[in-house]
Amino acid sequence: MILSVASGKGGTGKTTFSVLLARAAAPALYIDADVEEPNGGIFLKPEIEREEDFTEPVPRIIPEKCTYCGECARACPYKALVIIPPPAKKDLFFPELCHSCGVCAYVCPEQGALIEVPRKKGVIRTGRSGQLDFMEGILNIGEPTAVPLIKALMKKARNYKGDVIVDAPPGTSCPVVEAVSEADFVLLVAEPTPFGLHDLSLVVEMVRELDKKFAIVINKAQEGNTLVEDYARRQGIPVLFKIPFSEEIARMYSKGELPFGEFEPQLKEVFARIREMVE
Amino acid sequence: MKIFITSKGRELDSKVDPRFGRAEYYIIYDTETAEFRAEENPFKKGQTAVGISLAQRVIEEGAQVAISGNFGPNAFEVLKAAEIRLFRAGGEMKVKEAVDAFLRGELPEMDSATPREVADRLEKELK
Amino acid sequence: MSPKEIVFISGKGGTGKTTITSSFVWWLHLKGEKFIIADADVDAADMHILMEPRPWKEEEFVGKSVAQINDELCTYCDICRGLCRFDAIYIDEDGTYRVNPFRCDGCTLCEIACPVQAIEMVPQVVGRWFLSRTPYGPMVHARLKPGAENSGNLVTMVKHQAHLLAEKEEIPYIVVDGPPGIGCPVTSAISGASFVAVVAEPSFSAIHDMERAVETAEHFGVPHGILINKAGINPENEEKIRDYARRRGIPFLGEVPFTRCVVDALVKREIAASSCEEVRGALEGAFGKILEVVNES
């Protein structure tokens, strides 16, 4: 079973919940797919056993063969290539704009004038944290899109024999879609504030569009504040868990710690319930 | 010599558009004949890399000088690689005023010391 | 006279940028100034929760193009599916070739490669934008469809609409709640601004993003300043931010304390500066400095 944890916005406690749940679900695989800001490792403190480069092909002009006709630059939909015609005869490449789509190589009329070479865009690190298998993607700063790296992580999720908990990136755009696209179930973490509710409603729309089974988890839940519960009831969405608002948790969090033991029995039940809902 | 100026309108009386890539129009001014031609910027509503796209247009138009309010880092790099000289027209200057100021040598030229490079240097000093 | 544009950005999400921007709106309104609110944080457009805008005009917004396969022309040769690097082309249950619009990157490779020209790129409506009234003044904002991505183009459009309105109604200021991150939308938000206020939170990742935001403002030669939000949670990092501003010669606008009051105000849909005295006190000085710089230029 693949379970993705998402939230409409950053800073709602998505990682806090993901790692708590992953620990309770062990033996399992935790994947940090929030590749621009992966911080699940801060709390799980894994022993990293392997680190592999994540690369994608990017163009390279071979000056001896290039006629500087500019076909590649005209075809590039992202304007990542610029060809300055003779007499200047220069080529400029903006790697932060390149999406590695391959159009430039496809349209180049000169054999061997434009080749594709791998460019490192990030790393995938794997290791272990107690009973838990750990994996995280780290995207290099300045890369235009997180989607390809997340796609590579999700491929590993599919091939894993066992349960997988995916800590998705925040928001509702393409990277999140990628991180929940393979999921059997999606958990949405929200805070009980008007902003939190608004962002939750956006991500609910997204998972509905993707036709996923999903439920809500409330973080920083306060006595008497039923903002999210009321919404969930109206929408017919189950609320599976609440992490209480607690200064003790905030203090632990700032030191890179979390009260794993405290919630473990409850979270084991939550996990069993999700499995029932999936099957 | 041909000068490329980003503009808010189609006339020499129009104001210089301070945005390069997303300028409304551009004007090609020929200093030998004092004639000019205005074109709508086809990239102004583009999704990405509008600066690079318009910089390529400057090259295709055969201009040797480009005048705007700001040049983004990528547009700057392309124009410099094509050996086009860049000048900044600040404030509320009209196109004609900017051309005249350029011809009198009064417009500040943007050379290799771009703000980005100054920033990088500062960063190194900090470390 | 062109309107002056004041932009709030933060880099990382969740630093309280909207809390600060809405407080600025409240403060400016209290001073009797006229302005337009432009919400360029289209991914999580939270300004409208506090501003309660009532739209009087709305339009569709067209974003990136995605491939579309014409089944009547398609010969099922499979070339496009083999070439697509985004795995966006799939074979439907009924055997026809289709494009997953979430995955399609709009790269045009399939369109170029299709031997029978059965593929064309079709622009997608990615959201809507609105002109609204609020108790504080006019507001320009937008809403994206789920899965759609904010773009520099959308930010530029929101700002452009704000400028058109400001010029028409002779409104002197535009207050922009900028997009998160450090990419193209932020560049668009900064470009052409009179002042950029960078809202920093004293956390490691927020500091990193703050530096990137400052570099972008520097590059465009836009006056800027730094403001610490949630001050008190990490004194060491706060000193790092102040030190950074000092060494780089960037005006330090002030710091807003981290208090429970801000969270409570938010729950009640109230503006932090209006509900929390501590916050108001800290921000008045910062906002005064911003206006000073803006009106000098």
Side-chain angles (χ1 to χ4, degrees):
Chain A
M1 173 170 73
I2 299 177
L3 207 158
S4 290
V5 183
S7 71
K9 201 178 182 176
T12 62
K14 179 175 54 57
T15 296
T16 301
F17 179 75
S18 303
V19 298
L20 286 174
L21 183 69
R23 263 290 168 81
L29 167 66
Y30 166 88
I31 299 184
D32 199 340
D34 187 0
V35 297
E36 287 176 78
E37 207 82 54
N39 48 21
I42 294 173
F43 304 99
L44 290 171
K45 301 179 181 61
E47 267 176 55
I48 298 298
E49 291 157 354
R50 228 158 70 87
E51 182 170 317
E52 54 183 297
D53 287 352
F54 174 71
T55 66
E56 282 205 291
V58 298
R60 180 183 289 162
I61 305 282
I62 307 300
E64 301 78 49
K65 295 189 175 167
C66 180
T67 62
Y68 296 87
C69 70
E71 275 296 320
C72 53
R74 274 188 295 279
C76 174
Y78 314 104
K79 300 292 164 204
L81 264 175
V82 175
I83 299 293
I84 297 166
K89 278 194 173 187
K90 280 181 198 159
D91 69 274
L92 280 94
F93 176 57
F94 297 93
E96 74 279 11
L97 296 174
C98 177
H99 290 210
S100 299
C101 69
V103 165
C104 52
Y106 189 84
V107 300
C108 177
E110 294 298 317
Q111 186 72 36
L114 189 155
I115 59 167
E116 289 190 286
V117 293
R119 179 185 156 83
K120 185 176 166 183
K121 298 201 168 178
V123 294
I124 294 175
R125 308 203 312 158
T126 44
R128 278 188 75 76
S129 165
Q131 288 290 301
L132 198 63
D133 280 324
F134 174 91
M135 186 180 293
E136 67 179 354
I138 306 173
L139 189 71
N140 285 355
I141 289 160
E143 288 303 328
T145 161
V147 170
L149 177 51
I150 295 172
K151 196 183 276 177
L153 289 170
M154 296 311 288
K155 197 172 167 190
K156 289 181 187 288
R158 266 199 314 276
N159 294 337
Y160 184 78
K161 290 177 186 63
D163 295 321
V164 185
I165 287 98
V166 180
D167 190 353
T172 54
S173 57
C174 307
V176 193
V177 172
E178 198 59 50
V180 304
S181 60
E182 299 292 336
D184 300 299
F185 199 88
V186 184
L187 281 167
L188 308 176
V189 182
E191 281 176 28
T193 66
F195 284 7
L197 191 62
H198 171 249
D199 299 332
L200 172 65
S201 68
L202 294 180
V203 75
V204 163
E205 242 182 273
M206 182 195 78
V207 287
R208 280 196 176 137
E209 186 130 338
L210 295 170
D211 208 12
K212 294 285 169 192
K213 288 181 184 167
F214 65 101
I216 293 171
V217 170
I218 302 173
N219 186 30
K220 297 186 191 162
Q222 289 160 286
E223 201 75 29
N225 178 338
T226 57
L227 213 53
V228 174
E229 278 122 315
D230 293 344
Y231 165 83
R233 198 173 317 115
R234 281 197 307 275
Q235 297 278 328
I237 307 166
V239 175
L240 290 188
F241 194 69
K242 288 193 249 181
I243 304 174
F245 184 91
S246 138
E247 282 176 21
E248 176 58 23
I249 296 179
R251 232 188 332 269
M252 288 180 80
Y253 182 92
S254 78
K255 287 187 282 181
E257 293 163 13
L258 283 171
F260 287 109
E262 189 182 332
F263 298 113
E264 199 171 308
Q266 284 165 277
L267 285 171
K268 276 196 194 310
E269 276 173 42
V270 168
F271 199 72
R273 240 187 102 187
I274 292 170
R275 194 187 300 283
E276 273 169 34
M277 288 162 90
V278 168
E279 287 157 6
Chain B
M1 176 178 64
K2 279 187 185 172
I3 306 177
F4 183 106
I5 311 124
T6 56
S7 161
K8 289 201 166 179
R10 297 179 162 276
E11 305 299 328
L12 291 181
D13 267 352
S14 310
K15 281 178 187 162
V16 174
D17 200 320
R19 304 163 299 179
F20 180 73
R22 294 199 187 272
E24 291 293 324
Y25 298 90
Y26 67 84
I27 284 174
I28 302 290
Y29 184 92
D30 191 326
T31 55
E32 272 139 52
T33 61
E35 283 172 352
F36 77 99
R37 169 168 59 82
E39 302 281 350
E40 195 169 350
N41 173 9
F43 311 111
K44 65 181 177 189
K45 289 186 175 169
Q47 289 290 305
T48 54
V50 288
I52 292 176
S53 304
L54 194 62
Q56 267 182 317
R57 181 58 67 93
V58 177
I59 299 167
E60 286 156 17
E61 290 279 8
Q64 285 121 300
V65 166
I67 300 174
S68 186
N70 284 307
F71 297 90
N74 293 346
F76 186 94
E77 202 178 317
V78 172
L79 291 166
K80 277 290 157 192
E83 288 157 22
I84 290 162
R85 293 176 69 186
L86 310 180
F87 293 85
R88 178 176 272 169
E92 303 268 294
M93 246 186 201
K94 289 176 179 170
V95 171
K96 188 74 176 83
E97 290 168 354
V99 169
D100 291 344
F102 163 73
L103 291 172
R104 288 195 303 270
E106 287 170 7
L107 280 191
E109 180 159 9
M110 297 178 68
D111 56 19
S112 59
T114 68
R116 167 73 63 92
E117 282 169 21
V118 172
D120 286 347
R121 201 168 60 226
L122 274 170
E123 188 119 52
K124 277 194 198 109
E125 282 167 15
L126 282 177
K127 278 172 190 164
Chain C
M1 198 35 219
S2 297
K4 310 265 191 193
E5 200 181 291
I6 301 146
V7 181
F8 290 83
I9 56 168
S10 67
K12 187 183 176 292
T15 62
K17 173 175 56 60
T18 301
T19 302
I20 305 292
T21 314
S22 59
S23 292
F24 185 68
V25 163
W26 175 85
W27 178 80
L28 212 53
H29 182 70
L30 204 68
K31 279 176 66 84
E33 299 286 358
K34 288 215 173 320
F35 55 90
I36 292 173
I37 306 157
D39 192 352
D41 184 356
V42 208
D43 291 316
D46 289 335
M47 273 297 269
H48 79 256
I49 294 170
L50 296 169
M51 299 293 131
E52 296 173 355
R54 291 183 307 280
W56 53 272
K57 184 183 173 185
E58 63 172 281
E59 272 180 36
E60 281 184 342
F61 180 76
V62 177
K64 74 167 184 186
S65 296
V66 304
Q68 197 169 301
I69 301 172
N70 183 338
D71 189 41
E72 284 175 17
L73 298 177
C74 177
T75 59
Y76 311 104
C77 71
D78 207 42
I79 288 175
C80 57
R81 198 169 66 104
L83 283 173
C84 179
R85 301 220 176 140
F86 305 95
D87 302 325
I89 298 174
Y90 64 98
I91 305 169
D92 211 351
E93 285 156 7
D94 60 5
T96 55
Y97 278 70
R98 293 192 191 280
V99 177
N100 176 340
F102 285 121
R103 287 205 159 153
C104 177
D105 204 63
C107 80
T108 71
L109 182 54
C110 56
E111 185 191 27
I112 295 168
C114 178
V116 294
Q117 282 85 46
I119 303 180
E120 69 175 326
M121 304 305 293
V122 181
Q124 300 289 296
V125 173
V126 293
R128 308 181 74 77
W129 63 270
F130 310 88
L131 284 183
S132 298
R133 290 190 185 85
T134 81
Y136 304 92
M139 176 164 166
V140 187
H141 51 122
R143 190 188 149 99
L144 284 171
K145 285 186 178 175
E149 215 136 4
N150 191 2
S151 66
N153 194 10
L154 184 53
V155 170
T156 304
M157 207 271 313
V158 165
K159 294 212 313 180
H160 183 63
Q161 292 300 332
H163 272 271
L164 287 181
L165 194 63
E167 275 164 34
K168 198 171 110 204
E169 302 192 1
E170 290 181 9
I171 294 173
Y173 301 108
I174 296 172
V175 181
V176 183
D177 190 12
I182 40 186
C184 182
V186 180
T187 308
S188 301
I190 292 176
S191 154
S194 300
F195 191 86
V196 172
V198 181
V199 180
E201 172 192 88
S203 76
F204 180 74
S205 54
I207 290 179
H208 173 262
D209 284 0
M210 169 200 77
E211 292 177 3
R212 298 273 292 260
V214 165
E215 280 169 32
T216 312
E218 266 172 7
H219 176 86
F220 281 96
V222 177
H224 51 284
I226 295 175
L227 192 122
I228 297 182
N229 190 29
K230 305 186 189 172
I233 59 172
N234 193 324
E236 200 183 311
N237 281 339
E238 283 151 38
E239 185 46 37
K240 267 189 206 153
I241 296 172
R242 280 191 293 266
D243 190 49
Y244 174 81
R246 214 162 25 233
R247 296 171 81 163
R248 206 140 178 161
I250 302 163
F252 183 71
L253 301 170
E255 43 198 279
V256 181
F258 180 62
T259 71
R260 179 66 190 264
C261 180
V262 175
V263 184
D264 291 341
L266 206 60
V267 171
K268 289 183 277 183
R269 298 179 178 232
E270 289 169 0
I271 289 170
S274 127
S275 308
C276 312
E277 208 171 312
E278 277 175 274
V279 172
R280 180 161 63 243
L283 281 175
E284 271 172 344
F287 292 163
K289 279 183 209 163
I290 293 175
L291 267 203
E292 217 172 277
V293 176
V294 166
N295 289 323
E296 265 170 21
S297 64

